[in-house]
Amino acid sequence: EAGVAQSPRYKIIEKRQSVAFWCNPISGHATLYWYQQILGQGPKLLIQFQNNGVVDDSQLPKDRFSAERLKGVDSTLKIQPAKLEDSAVYLCASSFRDRVTEAFFGQGTRLTVV
Amino acid sequence: QQQVKQSPQSLIVQKGGISIINCAYENTAFDYFPWYQQFPGKGPALLIAIRPDVSEKKEGRFTISFNKSAKQFSLHIMDSQPGDSATYFCAASNLRSGNTGKLIFGQGTTLQVKP
């Protein structure tokens, strides 16, 4: 079974530039999560989708971050404009709708903002 | 009240020894407590989890001890091996109906097992 796919693996941008991350969840997983993991900290949930609807985006900085999940499969997370403090690993995870305790994580995208 | 505090930040154990990582929480609504293992360059992977109706859960060399009254839980790794060297995260969630099951992670513990 293929895992959660994320791209790119690494990205370096200058502050005030924009960046986008892509995630392809495990086939059949209705729930998709984006987490931000700052170096030395645990992952923090940014947004949770159920199919293509947003379930929780309470910790998403909406003035600069946006995410979408068209057709309830792939998802993109965008940052515009980026700040230095956005440097982190962005993790995508997915699970079956009724098994949120069994979320599988992708390898993440490491973003460096200079 | 949404925080999960994890200690120690780093841990060095000799091969064959016992590794112990502790976590504490404040929100009594939490009813699911997983531990995740993360290797460098990889995403976290679920290792073992416990619900508050039991005080201990064991899977192979990994054991979770849960103290509901103290609002603490810990991960014990018996017979630690160099392959266990990784970062470990505790987490907590509220799975009751109407909640999203959002995971609140601790700060992480970097474990190094020396041969």
Side-chain angles (χ1 to χ4, degrees), chain A residues 52-92:
Chain A
N52 60 350
V54 176
V55 173
D56 185 341
D57 63 357
S58 58
Q59 297 190 93
L60 186 73
K62 299 180 185 64
D63 58 334
R64 297 184 300 106
F65 285 65
S66 64
E68 60 182 9
R69 192 183 183 197
L70 300 176
K71 301 180 182 178
V73 183
D74 294 7
S75 177
T76 56
L77 176 69
K78 297 179 182 178
I79 307 175
Q80 182 179 12
K83 293 184 176 181
L84 296 177
E85 58 261 37
D86 298 332
S87 294
V89 174
Y90 291 85
L91 295 163
C92 179

Side-chain angles (χ1 to χ4, degrees), chain A residues 16 18-19 25 27-28 32-33 50 57 60 63 71 76-77:
Chain A
R16 292 188 288 274
S18 63
V19 64
S27 178
L32 185 146
Y33 317 78
Q50 191 83 277
D57 63 357
L60 186 73
D63 58 334
K71 301 180 182 178
T76 56
L77 176 69

Side-chain angles (χ1 to χ4, degrees), chain A residues 100-103 105, chain B residues 4 6 23 30-37 45-51 57 64 66 73-75 88-95 101-106:
Chain A
V100 293
T101 59
E102 296 176 12
F105 284 81
Chain B
V4 177
Q6 183 173 346
C23 281
F30 288 146
D31 61 353
Y32 173 70
F33 303 90
W35 284 89
Y36 282 79
Q37 181 187 56
L46 179 63
L47 189 61
I48 186 173
I50 197 168
R51 301 296 293 265
K57 182 174 181 180
I64 298 179
F66 184 79
F73 59 109
S74 59
L75 175 69
Y88 293 81
F89 294 95
C90 63
S93 179
N94 181 349
L95 298 182
K102 176 170 69 178
L103 287 169
I104 307 297
F105 283 87

Side-chain angles (χ1 to χ4, degrees), chain B residues 43-62:
Chain B
L46 179 63
L47 189 61
I48 186 173
I50 197 168
R51 301 296 293 265
D53 52 343
V54 296
S55 61
E56 185 175 283
K57 182 174 181 180
K58 184 176 181 179
E59 289 184 2
R61 296 185 294 109
F62 301 91

Side-chain angles (χ1 to χ4, degrees), chain A:
Chain A
E1 178 184 85
V4 176
Q6 290 188 246
S7 67
R9 287 295 313 277
Y10 306 93
K11 191 74 177 178
I12 301 174
I13 63 172
E14 294 183 351
K15 60 183 179 182
R16 292 188 288 274
Q17 284 188 325
S18 63
V19 64
F21 313 126
W22 174 81
C23 173
N24 185 19
I26 292 173
S27 178
H29 282 190
T31 306
L32 185 146
Y33 317 78
W34 283 102
Y35 284 85
Q36 179 192 56
Q37 185 175 17
I38 294 173
L39 185 65
Q41 298 182 20
K44 181 183 80 172
L45 181 70
L46 292 176
I47 188 167
Q48 178 179 343
F49 291 95
Q50 191 83 277
N51 296 309
N52 60 350
V54 176
V55 173
D56 185 341
D57 63 357
S58 58
Q59 297 190 93
L60 186 73
K62 299 180 185 64
D63 58 334
R64 297 184 300 106
F65 285 65
S66 64
E68 60 182 9
R69 192 183 183 197
L70 300 176
K71 301 180 182 178
V73 183
D74 294 7
S75 177
T76 56
L77 176 69
K78 297 179 182 178
I79 307 175
Q80 182 179 12
K83 293 184 176 181
L84 296 177
E85 58 261 37
D86 298 332
S87 294
V89 174
Y90 291 85
L91 295 163
C92 179
S94 69
S95 71
F96 287 110
R97 180 189 179 104
D98 57 350
R99 297 187 197 172
V100 293
T101 59
E102 296 176 12
F104 292 85
F105 284 81
Q107 291 184 302
T109 295
R110 180 176 296 278
L111 172 67
T112 302
V113 182
V114 298

